[in-house]
């Protein structure tokens, strides 16, 4: 036997599926070659002449050769092996072998199967292996096609069926597999001539089994019956079939009402038979179904979802009927077992993928939603993982089919929606919406709008919860705008904004209502509010039917037929919610960048707050508001007075003019000009302020007046009349227009509105290019202790009139609150005592019988007044605390504006004006959060600017540099000192940058010289008197500001003379600083450059003289101050000397080097120093002296 052939059988048992397939392919090729050689060498008998198949192997040898016979023997034996992947590999090879050779017949194979894979009732592992092998052998027979050849008959097919049924009865765990093999063979019977006999045999087998078990009452028989019905629809009319289905025997426990299994009348029996619910009449099948559902469910789903054309008299149950009766009310019933609910989750996943769009809503039934929600809430639930898997499948299907996604989100937000479930499941609806396109989201928004307008018609909701439902929809739509995961396209954003605006600001007129509520108007708050509001009962819009009727009666009247009348009426709280979310949404959209799509260009994003047509969202809202106001069927819910209307009308007219001007500038290509930017800024401001009329009328009216004056002064000076011009000059005589704009923005910033805050930031970003020093000073005063922030935040729903001291330090506010606790207690104690004493005196003259009653009444009054007093004090304390938080919040917002200014105007010289005030504010950065914010602004935003201003007043910058250096010397904190020092470096870099930035040679610019002189003065002050500066400040100067030739300054070897120094440590610090400067000025890599030679020539005389004086002083053992030089200080001096000699004379010959450095004197002084008693034992000193001596040898 060829060893190659034997190796194939080993490879067939591999666990690797690809290796098994390759082995099967190679085995069949080898057997074909062997068969060809056998056929050419011997005469092959005709298979039809063979009548005796008792000796099968000898027969196969005669017709196929020895290799084919051996392969058949090995495969039928090995198919029972449990080793690795032997069953799979041998079954595959057997299938291919039977299909490849036409001489094989079923009669030839059956004896081998009976011999090697007999049916046994033993419960040992060998018996199970043989049953598995027998089932797989018949699978190979079916798939190879030998049963459908002309050589096969109905008897062969019946033998296969009987053998499979016998295996199913013998071993329950192969029952479903055996039936599935039979089911898969039914469609292939139509290709044979014995299909009628085969089907008759199957029905007869079903009849025998039903007689024994009391009817067709298990999933396997149902699966077989459904397969026969699907292939032979007329079978249900036959008497034989009716005898099986509609059982007449009294002993039958399951009697089907109709011969067609999927008939609506059979649903209850079907649920019992396929074990959707427990039943005494149904036969429970003992098999491992804990982790999967029966294959009959797949058959049922396919037949119901895609039913064949029903013939007369045949009626198939609809998918909705089946799902409700069999799945929802059985598998997901509250009393159902965990196993059945698990099947239900798997069935839901299958159906979700198979169902068409119109049937998706049927899946989300009450019981299913309850089961899904409950098992998704808690991780310790038995079916938690199954529920989570179903949610993931929902996301997957939504991503693949957007139409299904729309139906799914509608069901999730329907009457079974649970907000807690949506939170626990990580916002499943929003996840789905993040996967769909813009059109799907638009349809979803329209769906929510329909629920908002008529909740009771869309959902079965209690009337008491209608407004809660509406407010939830408003808040949910706003959350969609905020969610960055969702594709925020303009289409659905406009729908949401329109919904907020329409139902929050407008009502239907009386003539379009079916009732006439009162028409009186009420004031909003105090009389100082220039704003009025209609009775909230008048919030009813025209429905479609009324719209059609009115159009027939009056064609001249304008109407808005697309807005449906809300039923029931919208409450006042819902209107307030709409208005609030409208402004919140505008605040979000003010930073949103819309997608600008063009067929000829790649999709791009607009600027923040702009739509794709280059118009702002605020202007779109104003335009939409004007459209609604011009509609004769609508009237505003909030009515402005005459003055406010006049200002609004003028502002709208001005907006239209600015819009035309901007369009003209865009067409001319002047979109980046200053004129366009300023016009666009006013366009933005006017749009926002017009909308603010409805929330802060007083503030908005004043702002509109100021903005119109500013606009006229900036753009329309030539067109103003002399009288109007004179009035405006009197009003704004000494104020720059930008200052007025900044003042307006700061006032809006003090309001508790995210919309106004966003508007302020966006407008400030536009106008910050023209900001003045006075505006910056105002902002800096507001965040410092000087600023009277209380005046700006007094309208932020905080009453501070009871607060006597409004100018105290914010860091001590908690202490002040605690200090007044004792006084409050004393006041509470004294006040009731006086009242009780007075009442006691009055009660002495009353009857003794009423004394006890009066005392009780007095104590009740005392308790009520005492509790009221404490409530009042607690309320006042809370107001003071809230006022503090409001002030801090406001200051943070102002710092945010400064950050915008720094980011947008990095080349503006006014940035320098921020440094000193911010340093002053930052002094308490460790204890004050405002100071910490100022510290971060200066350290992380300003002094790190690389390309700063280049046009500025040098004298002002030098003055600032001097102040900052002085603050660095006097600072008490290391962090503040470092910040001051880095700020001074930023100022010096700015001066150097203005003059081409390269000053590595001789310094010629006077301003740079003055700046270096300030550093030199600070250095000398540090050497003479200790302060907060440290040696790192000066030693790192060459690294921080390498453009300055520090080796030419007085910092280099300055204060290194021990005769004038305060102590040896100061001399050591001077040499350490000089060491850093020299190592940068003469780097080791550039020793041979011409520039290095020039620097060395300049430095050697100064270094030599300074070192000689120092060495002479140390050699004479003199005291510097009151101290002698120790080893540590001398070591620093010797290190500097060694570095200086190496770097300055590397190319100089030895003799010239000795002469240049006066080596003889140097070495004599070093020898004297080395021999001093305190240095004699120091190896470090001796080593450095040797190193210096080596440079001259």
């Amino acid at each position: 036997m060829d060893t190659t052939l034997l190796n194939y059988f080993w490879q067939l048992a591999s666990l690797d599926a690809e290796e098994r397939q390759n082995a099967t392919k190679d085995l069949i090729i080898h057997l074909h070659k062997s068969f060809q050689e056998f056929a050419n060498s011997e005469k092959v008998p005709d298979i039809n002449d063979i009548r005796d198949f008792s000796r099968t192997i000898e027969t196969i040898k005669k017709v196929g050769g020895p290799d084919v016979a051996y392969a058949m023997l090995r495969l039928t034996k090995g198919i029972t092996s449990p080793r690795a992947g032997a069953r799979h590999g041998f079954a595959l090879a057997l299938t291919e072998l039977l299909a490849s050779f036409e001489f094989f017949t079923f009669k030839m194979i059956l004896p081998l199967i009976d011999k090697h894979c007999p049916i046994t009732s033993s419960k040992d592992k060998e018996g199970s292996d043989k049953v598995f092998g027998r089932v797989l052998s018949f699978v190979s027979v079916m798939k190879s096609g030998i049963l459908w050849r002309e050589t096969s008959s109905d008897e062969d097919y019946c033998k296969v069926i009987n053998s499979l049924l016998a295996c199913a009865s013998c071993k329950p765990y192969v029952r479903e597999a055996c039936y599935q093999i039979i089911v898969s063979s039914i469609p292939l019977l139509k290709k044979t001539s014995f299909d009628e006999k085969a089907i008759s045999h199957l029905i007869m087998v079903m009849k025998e089994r039903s007689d024994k078990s009391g009817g067709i009452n298990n999933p396997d028989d149902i699966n077989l019956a459904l397969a026969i019905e699907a292939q032979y629809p007329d079978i249900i009319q036959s008497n034989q079939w009716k005898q099986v289905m509609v059982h007449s025997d009294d002993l039958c426990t399951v009697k089907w009402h109709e011969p067609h299994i999927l008939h609506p009348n059979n649903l209850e029996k079907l649920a019992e038979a396929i074990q959707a619910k427990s039943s005494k009449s149904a036969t429970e099948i003992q098999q491992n179904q804990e982790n999967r559902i029966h294959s009959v469910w797949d058959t049922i789903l396919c037949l119901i979802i895609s039913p064949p054309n029903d013939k007369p008299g045949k009626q198939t149950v609809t998918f909705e009927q089946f799902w409700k009766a069999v799945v929802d009310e059985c598998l997901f019933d509250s009393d159902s077992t965990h196993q059945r609910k698990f099947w239900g989750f798997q069935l839901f996943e299958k159906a979700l993928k198979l169902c068409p769009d119109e049937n998706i809503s049927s899946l989300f039934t009450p019981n299913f939603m309850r089961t899904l929600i409950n098992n998704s809430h808690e991780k310790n639930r038995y079916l938690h993982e199954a529920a989570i898997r179903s949610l993931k499948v929902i996301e997957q299907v939504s991503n693949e089919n957007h139409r299904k996604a729309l139906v799914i989100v509608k069901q999730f937000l329907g009457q079974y929606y649970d907000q807690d479930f949506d939170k626990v499941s990580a916002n499943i609806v929003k996840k789905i919406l993040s996967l769909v396109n813009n059109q799907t989201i638009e349809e979803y928004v329209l769906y929510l709008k329909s629920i908002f307008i008529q909740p009771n018609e869309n959902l079965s909701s209690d009337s008491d919860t209608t407004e809660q439902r509406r407010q939830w929809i408003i808040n949910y739509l706003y959350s969609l705008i905020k969610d960055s995961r969702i594709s925020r396209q303009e289409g659905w954003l406009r729908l949401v904004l329109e919904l907020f605006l329409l139902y929050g600001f407008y009502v239907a007129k009386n003539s379009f209502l079916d009732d006439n509520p009162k028409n009186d108007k009420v004031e909003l708050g105090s009389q100082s509010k220039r704003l009025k509001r209609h009775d909230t009962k008048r919030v009813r819009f025209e429905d479609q039917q009324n719209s059609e009727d009115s159009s027939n009666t009056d064609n001249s009247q304008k109407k808005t037929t697309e807005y449906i009348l809300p039923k029931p009426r919208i409450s006042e709280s819902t209107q307030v919610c709409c208005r609030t979310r409208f402004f919140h949404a505008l605040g979000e959209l003010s930073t949103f960048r819309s997608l600008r799509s063009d067929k000829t260009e790649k999709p791009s994003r607009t600027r923040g707050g702009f739509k794709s047509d280059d118009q702002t969202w605020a202007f779109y809202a104003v335009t939409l508001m004007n459209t609604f106001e011009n509609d004769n069927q609508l009237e505003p819910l909030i009515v402005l007075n005459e003055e406010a209307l006049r200002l609004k009308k003028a502002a709208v007219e001005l907006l239209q003019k600015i819009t035309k001007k901007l369009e003209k500038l865009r067409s001319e290509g002047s979109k980046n000009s200053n004129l366009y930017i300023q016009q666009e800024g006013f366009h933005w401001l006017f749009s926002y302020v017009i909308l603010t009329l409805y929330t802060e009328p007083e503030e908005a009216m004043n702002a509109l007046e100021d903005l119109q004056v500013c606009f006229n002064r900036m753009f329309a000076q030539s067109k103003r009349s002399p009288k109007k011009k004179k009035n405006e000059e009197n009003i704004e005589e000494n104020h720059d227009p930008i200052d007025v704009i900044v003042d307006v923005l700061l006032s809006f910033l003090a309001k508790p509105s995210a919309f106004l805050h966003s508007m302020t930031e966006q407008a400030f970003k536009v106008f910050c290019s023209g900001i003045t020093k006075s505006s910056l000073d105002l902002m800096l005063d507001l965040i410092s202790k000087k600023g009277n922030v209380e005046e700006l935040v007094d309208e932020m729903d905080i009453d501070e009139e009871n607060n006597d001291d409004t100018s105290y330090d914010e860091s001590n506010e908690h202490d002040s609150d605690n200090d007044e606790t004792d006084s409050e207690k004393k006041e509470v104690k004294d006040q009731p005592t006086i009242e009780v004493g007075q009442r006691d005196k009055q009660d002495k003259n009353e009857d003794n019988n009423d004394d006890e009653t009066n005392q009780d009444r007095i104590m009740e009054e005392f308790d009520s007044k005492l509790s009221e007093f404490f409530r009042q004090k607690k309320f006042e304390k809370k107001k003071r605390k809230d006022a503090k938080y409001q002030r801090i919040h406001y200051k943070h917002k102002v710092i945010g504006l400064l950050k915008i200014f720094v980011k947008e105007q990095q080349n503006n010289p006014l940035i320098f004006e921020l440094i000193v005030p911010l340093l002053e504010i930052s002094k308490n950065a460790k204890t004050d959060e405002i100071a910490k914010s100022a510290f971060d602004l200066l350290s992380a935003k300003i002094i790190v600017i690389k390309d700063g201003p280049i046009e500025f007043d040098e004298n002002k910058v030098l003055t600032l540099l001097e102040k900052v250096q002085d603050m660095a010397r006097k600072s008490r904190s290391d962090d503040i000192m470092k910040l001051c020092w880095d700020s001074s470096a930023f100022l010096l870099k700015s001066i150097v940058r203005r003059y081409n930035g390269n000053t590595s040679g001789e310094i010629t610019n006077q301003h740079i010289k003055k700046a270096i002189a300030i550093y030199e003065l600070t250095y000398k002050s540090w050497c003479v008197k200790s302060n907060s500066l440290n040696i790192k400040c000066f030693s790192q100067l060459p690294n921080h500001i390498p453009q300055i030739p520090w080796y030419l300054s007085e910092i280099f070897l300055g204060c290194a003379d021990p005769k004038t120094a305060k102590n040896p440590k100061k001399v050591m610090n001077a040499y350490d600083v000089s060491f850093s400067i020299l190592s940068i000025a003469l780097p080791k890599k550039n020793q041979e450059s011409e520039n290095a030679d020039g620097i060395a020539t300049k430095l050697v005389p100064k270094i030599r003289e300074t070192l000689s004086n120092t060495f002479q002083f140390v050699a004479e053992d003199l005291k510097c101050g009151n101290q002698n030089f120790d080893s540590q200080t001398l070591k620093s001096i010797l290190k500097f000397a060694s570095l200086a000699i190496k770097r300055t004379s590397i190319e100089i010959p030895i003799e010239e080097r000795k002469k240049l450095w006066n080596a003889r004197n140097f070495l004599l002084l070093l020898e004297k120093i080395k021999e001093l008693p305190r240095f004699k034992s120091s190896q470090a000193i001796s080593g450095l002296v040797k190193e210096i001596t080596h440079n001259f040898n």
Side-chain angles (χ1 to χ4, degrees), residues 275-291:
Q275 298 183 2
K277 64 179 181 179
S278 60
S279 174
K280 296 181 180 179
S281 60
T283 302
E284 295 286 345
I285 299 176
Q286 301 296 327
Q287 61 185 54
N288 183 19
Q289 292 179 325
E290 290 291 339
N291 57 355

Side-chain angles (χ1 to χ4, degrees), residues 17 60 139 193 207 292 314 372 374 407 433 530 566 647 698 721 803 943 986 1039-1040 1042 1081 1178:
I60 296 176
V139 171
S193 59
K207 178 71 168 58
R292 62 182 176 84
K314 181 181 179 182
L372 181 66
N374 292 340
V407 180
L433 292 177
R530 306 179 186 181
L647 290 172
E698 196 71 35
S721 63
N803 196 3
I943 62 176
F986 171 71
N1039 294 321
H1040 290 170
S1178 176

Side-chain angles (χ1 to χ4, degrees), residues 546-697:
N546 293 338
S547 173
E548 295 174 0
D549 295 340
S550 61
S551 64
N552 295 332
T553 57
D554 188 3
N555 295 327
S556 63
Q557 191 175 35
K558 294 182 180 179
K559 58 188 177 183
T560 313
T561 57
E562 60 269 28
Y563 303 120
I564 305 173
L565 179 66
K567 296 178 181 180
R569 301 176 182 179
I570 299 179
S571 65
E572 180 181 359
S573 60
T574 304
Q575 293 171 353
V576 173
C577 184
C578 286
R579 289 196 291 272
T580 303
R581 290 310 186 189
F582 168 75
F583 288 109
H584 288 174
L586 274 183
E588 289 292 329
L589 294 176
S590 64
T591 59
F592 170 65
R593 300 177 62 192
S594 301
L595 183 64
R596 182 189 287 116
S597 59
D598 195 331
K599 295 181 179 180
T600 59
E601 299 178 359
K602 294 182 179 179
S604 60
R605 293 281 181 182
T606 64
R607 291 171 292 161
F610 284 82
K611 295 166 57 260
S612 58
D613 57 357
D614 287 326
Q615 297 293 344
T616 63
W617 284 100
F619 181 70
Y620 170 75
V622 173
T623 305
L624 201 61
M625 188 174 286
N626 290 336
T627 302
F628 292 151
E629 288 179 354
N630 293 330
D631 192 331
N632 291 337
Q633 293 183 358
L634 304 176
E635 63 180 355
L637 178 65
I638 299 176
V639 180
L640 305 176
N641 70 343
E642 294 181 0
E643 184 181 358
L645 288 174
R646 179 185 62 81
L647 290 172
K648 179 185 176 182
K649 182 179 178 181
V652 170
E653 292 176 355
L654 188 57
L655 262 180
Q656 295 173 352
K657 294 180 181 179
I658 297 175
T659 303
K660 294 180 181 179
K661 181 66 175 178
L662 291 175
E663 292 175 355
K664 182 179 179 182
L665 291 174
R666 279 197 295 268
S667 63
E668 294 175 356
S670 304
K671 196 172 181 178
N672 296 326
S673 63
N674 290 332
L675 177 61
Y676 183 89
I677 294 174
Q678 291 177 352
Q679 291 270 358
E680 189 177 66
F682 274 104
H683 189 275
W684 191 301
L685 266 179
F686 277 116
S687 300
Y688 273 110
V689 177
I690 289 173
L691 298 174
T692 311
L693 280 170
Y694 295 90
T695 57
E696 299 288 343

Side-chain angles (χ1 to χ4, degrees), residues 801-1031:
E801 295 178 358
N802 296 326
N803 196 3
D804 297 332
D805 187 6
T806 58
S807 60
Y808 55 84
D809 190 354
E810 292 175 3
S811 62
N812 297 325
E813 287 191 7
H814 288 292
D815 297 335
S816 64
D817 290 342
N818 295 332
D819 292 340
E820 61 186 15
T821 304
D822 295 335
S823 61
E824 290 176 4
K825 291 180 178 179
K826 183 178 180 181
E827 184 177 353
V828 173
K829 183 178 180 180
D830 293 342
Q831 182 178 352
T833 302
I834 296 172
E835 294 179 2
V836 172
Q838 292 175 352
R839 292 189 178 276
D840 287 343
K841 292 179 182 180
Q842 294 175 1
D843 293 339
K844 287 180 181 180
N845 298 325
E846 296 182 358
D847 295 334
N848 294 330
N849 295 333
D850 298 335
D851 185 57
E852 186 175 354
T853 304
N854 291 335
Q855 287 294 334
D856 293 340
R857 179 173 56 82
I858 291 171
M859 291 306 298
E860 290 177 0
E861 293 180 1
F862 170 75
D863 291 340
S864 63
K865 290 187 177 182
L866 185 64
S867 59
E868 179 63 27
F869 180 82
F870 275 117
R871 279 198 301 269
Q872 185 66 24
K873 287 297 181 180
K874 184 178 180 180
F875 177 69
E876 292 176 358
K877 186 176 180 179
K878 183 179 181 299
K879 286 194 294 185
R880 286 192 295 270
K881 188 176 181 180
D882 291 343
K884 174 191 172 182
Y885 290 152
Q886 292 291 350
R887 287 193 293 272
I888 294 175
H889 180 71
Y890 178 74
K891 290 182 178 182
H892 278 301
K893 288 296 182 180
V894 176
I895 292 176
L897 295 184
L898 292 178
K899 289 181 181 179
I900 293 174
F901 170 73
V902 172
K903 181 180 179 181
E904 299 294 327
Q905 298 294 317
Q906 294 190 356
N907 294 325
N908 195 323
L910 288 177
I911 286 180
F912 297 136
E913 302 292 340
L914 297 175
I915 295 177
V916 173
L918 290 177
L919 284 173
E920 291 287 350
I921 299 171
S922 303
K923 288 182 178 180
N924 298 324
K926 291 185 178 180
T927 57
D928 187 2
E929 58 178 295
I930 298 299
K932 180 66 170 59
S933 297
F935 184 95
D936 294 339
L937 171 60
L938 187 57
S939 61
K941 300 296 182 182
I942 296 179
I943 62 176
V944 296
I945 296 176
K946 294 183 178 180
D947 299 325
I950 57 175
E951 296 295 334
F952 51 84
D953 188 348
E954 297 88 345
N955 294 326
K956 287 185 178 181
V957 176
L958 290 173
T959 303
L960 290 174
L961 178 60
E962 191 172 358
K963 289 182 180 179
V964 174
Q965 292 270 339
D966 185 62
M967 294 176 69
R969 289 195 300 268
K970 297 178 180 179
S971 60
R972 299 179 180 179
S973 169
D974 291 339
D975 293 336
I976 298 299
M977 182 275 296
K978 187 178 183 303
L979 181 61
C980 292
W981 196 256
D982 293 341
S983 300
S984 63
F986 171 71
L987 293 172
L988 180 56
K989 288 178 183 178
S990 300
I991 297 176
V992 174
R993 188 189 307 111
R994 181 172 184 180
Y995 298 100
N996 299 326
N998 185 11
T999 57
S1000 57
E1002 187 71 27
I1003 300 175
T1004 58
N1005 185 269
Q1006 296 300 320
H1007 298 293
I1008 298 179
K1009 286 184 176 181
K1010 290 180 181 179
I1012 296 176
I1014 294 174
Y1015 271 86
E1016 292 172 348
L1017 182 63
T1018 303
Y1019 175 75
K1020 292 177 181 178
S1021 174
W1022 173 70
C1023 291
V1024 174
K1025 184 178 180 181
S1026 299
N1027 51 44
S1028 61
L1029 299 176
N1030 55 47
I1031 189 172

Side-chain angles (χ1 to χ4, degrees), residues 1162-1174:
F1162 251 60
L1163 297 177
L1164 288 175
L1165 291 175
L1166 291 176
E1167 287 296 328
K1168 288 182 180 180
I1169 293 172
K1170 188 172 67 171
E1171 295 299 327
L1172 290 175
R1174 61 179 179 276

